[in-house]
Amino acid sequence: MARRSMRLVEYGKPFQLTKEEVPTAPKGGAVVKNEYAGVCHTDAHSADDEFSGLAPLKCVLGHEMAGTIVKIDSSAGLKVGDKVIVYWHGGCGGCSRCAVGETTACLKDVKHWAGITEDGGFSDYVVIPDAKLLVKVPDTVAMDTACLLPCSGITAYNAVCNMVPTVQDFAKHSEDCAVLLVGAGGLGLWGVQFAKQLLPAGVRVLSADVDEEKLATAKAAGCDEALLWGKDVDDDTAVAAAKKACGSLGAVVAAIDFVNVPATFGRIENILATGGMHVLVGLLGVGASGSVPLMMYVLGRHQMGSVLMGSLPQLKDLMALMAQGKVKPPPISHHPLDNVYDVLQDLKAGKVKGRAVVKL
């Protein structure tokens, strides 16, 4: 059994197509014939070595995967032929955090990350060392949608879950609450729908982006108001427009920054209500710094949290939600494996609307 893979051979350069035999699955593991692989901003960071060597040369990137099991350890709870997605964020497998599926918080800080530290989804076949990291895909969920859930889907889901308690508390005291989602790309479009599903009824969802077309897509996904933060919109204008859209409170009770650069960080802090929640998600700021006036931060009782994906139990909960058909995926475009590096460049340039996936 042979596989085609697009390997990272030099940082910042096109991938190299290789052909090789598929490795045998280790004890407790599985081999998955890949059908779809999402193309994510994290792949771009890895390809350009913005994680400082976390993704080694010669590895196969692509951490959003959906396919069919072709080999699996007999002790696993799944079988050959099952459709699955891969929870790619493996840990040591032995600590108490890993035991409950919180491998992003592995107590030994072990990183078995398929598609970053180890071979991933830009390949026909993927070897998964631990079959417990596979999640079965129900018939009601399309496989090109399913492949997006282990990273962009679960990240947006977890981000919304992080602000639910704060929003619920505000909603007890005001019927006019609004939340702000910054960024209307793939994560932001997921976020709009998850906010509508998970937040109290009547909470309005605002979406901000620099791209009018992306904002139109966010409106179609269910956001209540779109805020254009184009290059000609200064901070004062952006903040004033957002506050006006918030209704009687004049501020958002919670915000998620799917972009997370200094400009968006500062704007959110100036739009957030007293006691509001600021959730940081995006990695586009890379090494840049964000700052807040420390005394005003305390006096304003602002809360802040960051989200790195989500847990394995959350991914299973998300799959169950998707199976109900209440959440639709962002617009999806399909691309051949050979073109994946070019698609990454389009993603970096902001040319991808919704999500791009490799169809294998």
Side-chain angles (χ1 to χ4, degrees):
M1 187 163 56
R3 67 173 176 177
R4 298 179 310 135
S5 305
M6 296 298 285
R7 291 197 174 274
L8 174 66
V9 293
E10 186 177 353
Y11 296 120
K13 300 293 183 181
F15 304 144
Q16 184 177 92
L17 178 64
T18 63
K19 297 179 181 180
E20 67 244 343
E21 289 298 307
V22 178
T24 302
K27 184 177 180 180
V31 176
V32 174
K33 187 179 188 304
N34 212 15
E35 296 179 25
Y36 292 97
V39 183
C40 175
H41 273 288
T42 300
D43 298 312
H45 293 306
S46 296
D48 291 340
D49 198 28
E50 291 175 353
F51 295 141
S52 302
L54 184 62
L57 293 176
K58 300 298 178 68
C59 79
V60 178
L61 301 181
H63 53 280
E64 295 181 322
M65 298 166 267
T68 303
I69 296 173
V70 293
K71 292 183 180 179
I72 192 165
D73 189 284
S74 58
S75 63
L78 297 166
K79 65 183 185 302
V80 170
D82 281 345
K83 302 283 189 179
V84 293
I85 56 173
V86 179
Y87 181 75
W88 57 275
H89 216 290
C92 73
C95 72
S96 57
R97 288 285 193 185
C98 288
V100 294
E102 297 176 356
T103 53
T104 55
C106 173
L107 296 178
K108 296 183 179 179
D109 198 28
V110 173
K111 295 178 174 61
H112 290 303
W113 294 0
I116 298 183
T117 64
E118 299 166 4
D119 284 353
F122 297 156
S123 179
D124 295 319
Y125 292 87
V126 183
V127 177
I128 306 302
D130 186 352
K132 292 193 296 293
L133 301 180
L134 299 177
V135 176
K136 191 171 181 179
V137 179
D139 293 339
T140 53
V141 179
M143 291 295 278
D144 60 349
T145 297
C147 84
L148 303 176
L149 302 183
C151 185
S152 65
I154 193 175
T155 298
Y157 180 80
N158 191 15
V160 173
C161 288
N162 265 257
M163 68 178 182
V164 165
T166 298
V167 178
Q168 287 177 334
D169 183 64
F170 270 94
K172 292 176 184 177
H173 307 284
S174 174
E175 295 181 353
D176 194 13
C177 292
V179 299
L180 172 64
L181 309 184
V182 178
L187 273 80
L189 296 177
W190 282 122
V192 167
Q193 294 193 77
F194 294 147
K196 288 295 185 179
Q197 291 293 319
L198 302 177
L199 298 182
V203 172
R204 288 177 298 112
V205 178
L206 316 180
S207 180
D209 200 279
V210 299
D211 187 306
E212 288 187 85
E213 187 176 344
K214 289 183 178 180
L215 286 173
T217 306
K219 286 283 286 184
C223 90
D224 297 289
E225 187 146 357
L227 303 171
L228 182 61
W229 284 3
K231 293 180 180 179
D232 59 339
V233 178
D234 60 32
D235 288 345
D236 290 342
T237 302
V239 170
K243 287 185 173 181
K244 183 178 179 181
C246 291
S248 61
L249 284 180
V252 294
V253 302
I256 302 173
D257 194 347
F258 291 115
V259 179
N260 201 23
V261 295
T264 57
F265 180 92
R267 287 181 181 183
I268 287 174
E269 282 298 311
N270 286 317
I271 298 167
L272 205 60
T274 299
M277 181 68 180
H278 184 170
V279 183
L280 310 176
V281 176
L283 302 177
L284 297 184
V286 192
S289 298
S291 62
V292 293
L294 296 179
M295 184 174 73
M296 295 309 298
Y297 184 83
V298 174
L299 294 177
R301 295 188 292 107
H302 285 185
Q303 307 170 65
M304 191 178 297
S306 59
V307 165
L308 176 64
M309 274 194 27
S311 67
L312 180 56
Q314 281 182 310
L315 182 58
K316 293 177 180 179
D317 290 344
L318 173 56
M319 183 64 80
L321 175 64
M322 295 300 297
Q324 296 173 19
K326 296 179 180 180
V327 175
K328 305 300 180 186
I332 298 174
S333 57
H334 294 173
H335 305 269
L337 178 63
D338 293 9
N339 292 0
V340 64
Y341 187 80
D342 293 335
V343 176
L344 270 180
Q345 305 317 300
D346 287 344
L347 184 64
K348 289 164 59 178
K351 297 179 180 178
V352 173
K353 310 301 181 184
R355 289 302 313 273
V357 304
V358 172
K359 183 177 182 180
L360 293 127

